[in-house]
């Protein structure tokens, strides 16, 4: 069995962003030499997401509006996480980012067949950032042969 | 390591539908000959879902009502995706289907133990269609030994 | 290829609860002897969740409030699942638990690297119970070498 691991780093200029990382994952797959197996791609941070959907800017706008409706950023005071004084969370304002990432998902698992990501016609992998303007990363782990 | 791949095709008569595919996935597992490993089942289309829940018609009705509340189909004009004129999306009316599938999830990963899907008492695998009346498919990928 | 399987059991005193199971999964990984591979952790019940997020009590309170807003427990009569008279579901009151678990997710897949769960700085694995006060369980399945 072969295994492969790589981190992909981000530092988005905005609080929220969607970034197509399909070609970077394909490059990982090429480097791995795996022809048949599984590819896990997950956010390593709990206010970010990895998901599969369409690379269409209108849809990404719809996601932004929809997530703000389901889990609004403001007022910050509506979330106890933002008012907590314990440990990591003193002075946080990112409770909504934890909720938005929960909707969008932490990870995807993609089949590898004949050395390719085994995708349907419109499937693309995205990094979803919900609390950006800092360095964060995604893990790519591949197993197979 | 053994690997196995199969596509399961659908052409649902309605825009939205839930279809129990557990027995089809079990048949894939039997064909694979894998006794210990992992089974990935994912929608290959971005307006459909694969998820695990109960095979109970009342619950499926509740899912339909709930998803319409969280991500209503109409009015179509509320979504920019439906009004986009670029690429794949000219004249689309399925933005809600992308959102509904996000709630329900793209994929499940199921453990394989002693040649069986390693399920709790009520777990069943469903295909969730949110933009049907066309040919679409699910991928089953199995790895193990 | 090595494989490993274990069930972790719960019997929560409340209807809803979040329990950090990271150390239990780490113990499974140590027992498995796997150094490189994938670890699947999934709820075996369809009214419970396994998810990754922050171990912060303010955030957990926010999750509780948010899930009640998106999928309220009461009135029970709003859900057809609760009024069904077929099979498993006669007299159920847990339709909301099926919906809440859908938001939070059934499973996580975690990379294993150098014998450790390959986590970002704040990632912790939680069991999310939405219909407790009974014995329920989580499956840990590890494959790799």
């Amino acid at each position: 069995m072969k295994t492969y691991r790589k981190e992909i780093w981000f530092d988005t200029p905005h609080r929220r962003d969607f970034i197509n990382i399909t070609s970077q994952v394909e490059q990982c797959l090429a480097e791995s030499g795996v022809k048949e197996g599984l590819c896990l791609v997950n956010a390593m941070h709990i206010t970010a997401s990895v998901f599969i959907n369409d690379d269409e800017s209108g849809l990404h706008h719809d996601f932004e509006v929809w997530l703000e409706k389901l889990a609004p950023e403001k007022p910050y005071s509506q979330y106890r996480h933002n008012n907590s004084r314990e440990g990591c969370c003193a002075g946080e304002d990112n409770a909504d980012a934890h909720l938005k990432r929960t909707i969008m998902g932490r990870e995807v698992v993609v089949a590898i067949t004949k050395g390719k990501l085994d995708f349907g016609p419109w499937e693309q992998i995205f990094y979803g950032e919900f609390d950006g303007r800092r360095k964060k990363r995604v893990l790519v782990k591949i197993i197979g042969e």
Side-chain angles (χ1 to χ4, degrees), chain A:
Chain A
M1 203 183 77
K2 287 179 182 170
T3 68
Y4 172 94
R5 177 194 194 275
K6 191 163 205 170
E7 294 178 1
I8 303 173
W9 286 81
F10 304 90
D11 191 348
T12 66
H14 307 108
R15 183 178 174 103
R16 289 192 285 277
D17 235 326
F18 297 126
I19 299 170
N20 190 331
I21 60 172
T22 311
S23 64
Q24 286 165 282
V25 177
E26 286 170 339
Q27 189 179 328
C28 290
L29 178 52
E31 288 171 15
S32 77
V34 169
K35 301 299 181 193
E36 296 288 328
L38 294 176
C39 176
L40 168 70
V41 189
N42 69 266
M44 299 187 78
H45 299 260
I46 52 194
T47 52
S49 174
V50 171
F51 66 95
I52 287 175
N53 218 301
D54 199 357
D55 194 355
E56 199 277 306
S57 63
L59 180 66
H60 295 184
H61 175 84
D62 294 333
F63 272 131
E64 162 65 19
V65 171
W66 182 62
L67 291 168
E68 264 297 286
K69 193 178 72 175
L70 293 183
E73 178 185 337
K74 299 174 184 174
Y76 295 130
S77 61
Q78 75 189 295
Y79 299 113
R80 197 171 291 185
H81 179 62
N82 292 339
N83 302 304
S84 172
R85 289 290 170 270
E86 50 169 294
C88 66
C89 306
E92 291 284 11
D93 65 3
N94 65 4
D96 72 299
H98 291 269
L99 305 185
K100 288 179 170 100
R101 110 73 172 254
T102 299
I103 295 279
M104 298 305 288
R106 168 189 180 259
E107 79 212 11
V108 297
V109 178
V110 181
I112 300 163
T113 302
K114 297 182 182 171
K116 304 286 186 193
L117 298 176
D118 198 336
F119 270 156
W122 299 106
E123 289 190 287
Q124 296 281 298
I125 308 175
F126 288 88
Y127 175 66
E129 175 63 83
F130 304 110
D131 184 31
R133 296 174 293 195
R134 65 190 75 187
K135 292 185 75 176
K136 292 165 78 172
R137 60 205 151 117
V138 155
L139 178 64
V140 180
K141 185 84 183 192
I142 295 170
I143 74 168
E145 63 183 16

